[in-house]
Amino acid sequence: GPVPPKPAAAPVAKKPRIGRPAYQVFKSRDGDTNQRCLSFELSFPEIADDLQPRHRFMSAFEQRVEAPPDRRYQYLLFAADPYETVAFKVPNEPIDKEPGRFVTHWDPEEKKFTLTMYFQKEQPQEEAAAAKK
């Protein structure tokens, strides 16, 4: 049959995803407070020079990967074109928002994104019980 005419303006093709970034996750505890710490280090060598990765938290009820949702966990997402978004499952516990306790760092030379987070101090059982009254 006849070849249909080409549209005048082709829509701009989205860049194909190039897979997941390489990553490492470190677990530790603060020697003074005994708070649990998670540190994520992700490499994005192919990211555009003017971009930097974004992160956000997602509740178990927002995500569509695991069913049924498990309220004991939340998800930490990292996104950067042209990489696939990666999600890490972390305990759904209060995060310490004090200065120096939730730190993100983008290294534009190394193309590495680091996020370090601490969970709030675990209350001793007696304190926790008293707080509920």
Side-chain angles (χ1 to χ4, degrees):
V3 178
K6 290 247 185 334
V12 177
K14 278 187 116 169
K15 271 198 257 174
R17 298 273 176 222
I18 60 171
R20 294 177 173 191
Y23 61 85
Q24 287 179 290
V25 182
F26 305 94
K27 293 181 185 182
S28 59
R29 274 189 189 269
D30 183 297
D32 297 324
T33 64
N34 204 33
Q35 285 170 277
R36 287 177 305 146
C37 172
L38 287 175
S39 201
F40 300 86
E41 189 180 276
L42 296 91
S43 296
F44 297 96
E46 307 292 319
I47 193 173
D49 284 333
D50 57 343
L51 285 181
Q52 69 179 55
R54 299 183 312 280
H55 73 275
R56 82 175 186 97
F57 285 93
M58 182 185 272
S59 77
F61 299 95
E62 272 184 90
Q63 58 88 31
R64 297 276 172 268
V65 179
E66 297 195 337
D70 185 341
R71 67 176 65 240
R72 292 172 307 170
Y73 293 95
Q74 59 189 331
Y75 296 81
L76 176 55
L77 278 61
F78 294 94
D81 281 336
Y83 292 88
E84 285 174 36
T85 298
V86 286
F88 296 92
K89 197 169 169 176
V90 298
N92 186 18
E93 289 167 25
I95 291 159
D96 192 339
K97 298 289 197 331
E98 292 296 311
R101 292 276 147 183
F102 188 94
V103 180
T104 61
H105 176 69
W106 172 239
D107 182 333
E109 303 294 312
E110 295 277 323
K111 302 271 195 337
K112 270 191 180 152
F113 186 77
T114 313
L115 183 149
T116 301
M117 57 188 271
Y118 287 84
F119 293 99
Q120 285 179 10
K121 283 203 274 275
E122 290 155 24
Q123 291 185 319
Q125 287 306 307
E126 308 81 65
E127 274 185 47
K132 287 204 177 83
K133 283 181 184 148

